[in-house]
Amino acid sequence: MRHLDDELRKAFGREEPSPDFVDRVMQRVTAQSPTAQAKPGWRRRFFLMFEPPLIRWAAIGAAALLLIVIGVIGYQKSRQTDDRQATRQQEKTPAPEQQEQQPINPPEKVAPPDKDARPRLVNRKPKARVNQDRLIAAREERREGLEAKRKLLLALQVTSFTLNEAQRIVREDRAGRE
Amino acid sequence: MKAVLKCALFLFLMLAALPAEAQDARLKIDQLDKFSQKATEMIDVTVDENLLQLAAKFLNPKRSPEEAAIKELISGLKGVFVRRFAFEREGEFTREDVEAIRSQLHSPGWSRIVGVRSRKRTVIDVEVYIMTEGSIIKGLGIIAVEPKALTVANVVGPIDLEKLSQLEGKFGIPRFDLVRGDTPDAEDKTKIKPPEDK
C-alpha cells in the first residue's frame, strides 16, 4: 500500500522543465503560425486563379460551349420568328390592285404623322432593312403571281368558251337535222 | 462485235427519240401578231411553263371549288397560248393566214375531232384538234374563224377536255367579259372586252 502511495506521489509530483524548453516551444509555435508563413503577393494570387486543376478547365469549356449552342439556337428562333412575322405582314398587305380599289381615308380621319417616326427610321438596324427587302421581294412575287393567274384564267376561259361554242354548234346542227 | 451492236442500238434509240421530240403540241402562232395593229379588240395570252407554275402557286383549292378545278386541270400542262383578234370590217385576215395555222395541225400526231360551221347566228367555223399519245391527250388546238374575228387557242400538255369545257363562265376574271349574241338575226356579238390597260 505504501509502495503505491510512493508511486503516485512520484507520478504527480512537480518536475521542472529543462532550461531550453520555452525556447523550443516558441520556435515551434512561430514555425506553425499562418501569419508567420510567407504570404504570396496579390499578383501571385491572381495568377493562381488561372491555374486551376484540369477538370475545372474542362467544366469551363463545357459551359462556354453550352452558352454558344444556346445562343445559336436562340438566334435561329428569332430569325424564324422574324420570317413568320414578315410572311404574316405580307399576307395582310393587300395586292396592288386591291390597294387601288381601297377607299382613301378622308383627310379628317387620317392619323397625324408620328413625330417619332423619323428617328425610328434612322435608327433601324440592318436586319430590319433585310426584312423590308424580303417583304418587297415577296410582294413583287405576289404581284407577278397574280398577274400570271389572271392571264391563265383568261386563256382558259377563251379556250373553254371556244370549245363550248363548237359543242353548241354541233348540238344545234343535230337538233336542226332531227 | 458487241461494241458495234451497242453503237447501232444507241443510234437506233436516238433516231427513235427524234420524232417523239418533234411531236410537240406547241403551235407557231406568232405570225398572227401582225394583226395586233389592225384589230379593234385583241387577246394575246402566252402562259408558258414558268408562268403556269407561278400561277399554280396562287391557286388555292381551299378558297373555291373553281380554283381547285383549275389547279387540277393545269397540273402537268406546259403552256396555254391564246390569240384572238376582232376587226371592225370583214376581210382583214386571209385564208392563207388561217391555213398557216391549220397546216401545223395536219402534221402527224394531230387529229381533228370537231370541224363545224354554223350559219345560225353568224358564220363561224370552229375546228378542234387534239394530239394524242395512247389514250392521253398531249395537246389541244382550236381555230375559230368568224368574218370579223379569228381565234386560235393552243394548250400544250395533258388536258381533260371535259373539265376544260366546264370552266366556262365559272371564274370571275377582272376587267374581262364575254358577251354572246343569242338572237338568230343578230350580228356577231361575241365581243371580248380587252383588259383596260391595253
Side-chain angles (χ1 to χ4, degrees):
Chain A
M1 188 68 185
R2 194 160 182 154
H3 178 71
L4 182 65
D5 289 345
D6 291 340
E7 284 292 322
L8 283 170
R9 240 177 247 132
K10 195 181 177 180
F12 290 105
R14 188 176 174 86
E15 195 177 341
E16 288 300 320
S18 61
D20 62 336
F21 176 74
V22 176
D23 293 335
R24 279 191 287 118
V25 169
M26 286 311 289
Q27 265 181 359
R28 188 171 286 182
V29 166
T30 313
Q32 285 182 353
S33 167
T35 51
Q37 280 179 354
K39 211 175 182 180
W42 66 269
R43 283 183 191 164
R44 173 75 182 146
R45 273 184 282 152
F46 178 75
F47 286 114
L48 273 174
M49 286 199 315
F50 296 98
E51 291 174 10
L54 192 66
I55 193 154
R56 201 173 290 176
W57 273 119
I60 290 166
L65 193 68
L66 193 68
L67 279 173
I68 290 167
V69 169
I70 289 168
V72 167
I73 290 168
Y75 177 69
Q76 280 179 345
K77 276 190 179 176
S78 89
R79 277 197 68 177
Q80 281 173 356
T81 313
D82 288 346
D83 288 348
R84 264 185 237 135
Q85 280 176 350
T87 315
R88 273 182 214 147
Q89 205 172 343
Q90 178 207 335
E91 283 169 359
K92 282 176 188 172
T93 311
E97 288 173 10
Q98 289 173 340
Q99 281 176 347
E100 283 170 17
Q101 289 169 2
Q102 278 176 355
I104 298 162
N105 287 339
E108 62 272 13
K109 284 187 181 177
V110 174
D114 190 1
K115 286 175 186 174
D116 299 333
R118 202 178 181 84
R120 253 186 248 152
L121 276 170
V122 172
N123 293 331
R124 268 186 186 170
K125 290 174 187 174
K127 193 180 170 185
R129 269 184 218 149
V130 169
N131 282 342
Q132 203 176 5
D133 289 347
R134 228 181 275 164
L135 198 70
I136 290 166
R139 205 176 289 172
E140 182 65 20
E141 193 191 345
R142 183 180 159 79
R143 194 189 62 76
E144 285 173 5
L146 289 173
E147 180 62 21
K149 183 182 164 184
R150 193 186 69 84
K151 278 185 174 181
L152 174 69
L153 293 182
L154 180 63
L156 288 177
Q157 192 175 20
V158 173
T159 311
S160 176
F161 176 82
T162 318
L163 189 67
N164 287 339
E165 188 69 21
Q167 286 179 340
R168 275 190 284 267
I169 294 168
V170 170
R171 260 185 249 126
E172 282 170 7
D173 193 38
R174 275 183 197 161
R177 280 180 196 171
E178 284 168 5
Chain B
M1 188 64 186
K2 275 187 178 178
V4 174
L5 276 172
K6 275 182 184 175
C7 280
L9 184 67
F10 178 73
L11 279 171
F12 173 75
L13 288 172
M14 289 286 285
L15 288 169
L18 272 174
E21 184 64 31
Q23 280 184 356
D24 189 4
R26 173 90 191 256
L27 298 175
K28 287 176 186 170
I29 53 175
D30 294 339
Q31 66 269 29
L32 298 176
D33 292 346
K34 64 184 177 186
F35 297 124
S36 59
Q37 299 295 323
K38 293 184 198 172
T40 51
E41 289 165 1
M42 183 182 81
I43 293 177
D44 179 351
V45 186
T46 298
V47 184
D48 59 10
E49 202 168 1
N50 291 332
L51 270 184
L52 269 171
Q53 284 173 359
L54 186 63
K57 284 182 191 172
F58 289 84
L59 287 167
N60 187 1
K62 290 175 186 170
R63 198 179 294 156
S64 68
E66 284 82 17
E67 290 205 11
I70 294 163
K71 191 155 191 172
E72 193 187 344
L73 185 77
I74 65 165
S75 64
L77 281 190
K78 289 180 179 174
V80 185
F81 311 92
V82 171
R83 298 284 189 283
R84 180 180 162 85
F85 302 95
F87 306 97
E88 205 168 13
R89 293 169 299 178
E90 290 184 17
E92 292 287 356
F93 60 93
T94 61
R95 191 185 287 264
E96 284 73 33
D97 293 322
V98 180
E99 199 53 43
I101 307 295
R102 195 180 282 132
S103 62
Q104 295 177 57
L105 294 163
H106 288 166
S107 56
W110 286 102
S111 52
R112 194 169 81 161
I113 56 166
V114 178
V116 287
R117 165 171 284 204
S118 171
R119 292 177 183 278
K120 209 169 181 181
R121 289 184 296 272
T122 178
V123 180
I124 176 169
D125 289 313
V126 186
E127 289 172 89
V128 181
Y129 294 81
I130 52 167
M131 179 181 266
T132 50
E133 195 178 70
S135 59
I136 301 164
I137 296 175
K138 274 176 65 184
L140 172 72
I142 303 175
I143 306 176
V145 182
E146 297 161 67
K148 294 181 186 175
L150 173 64
T151 308
V152 178
N154 179 209
V155 179
V156 183
I159 184 90
D160 188 330
L161 294 184
E162 188 66 34
K163 285 178 183 169
L164 177 65
S165 67
Q166 286 170 2
L167 287 181
E168 187 195 343
K170 277 198 172 177
F171 33 72
I173 297 169
R175 296 178 294 180
F176 178 77
D177 188 24
L178 279 171
V179 184
R180 184 170 162 271
D182 280 334
T183 51
D185 56 343
E187 281 188 16
D188 180 21
K189 285 186 180 175
T190 308
K191 287 179 182 171
I192 295 164
K193 292 177 184 173
E196 284 168 11
D197 51 348
K198 282 195 175 180

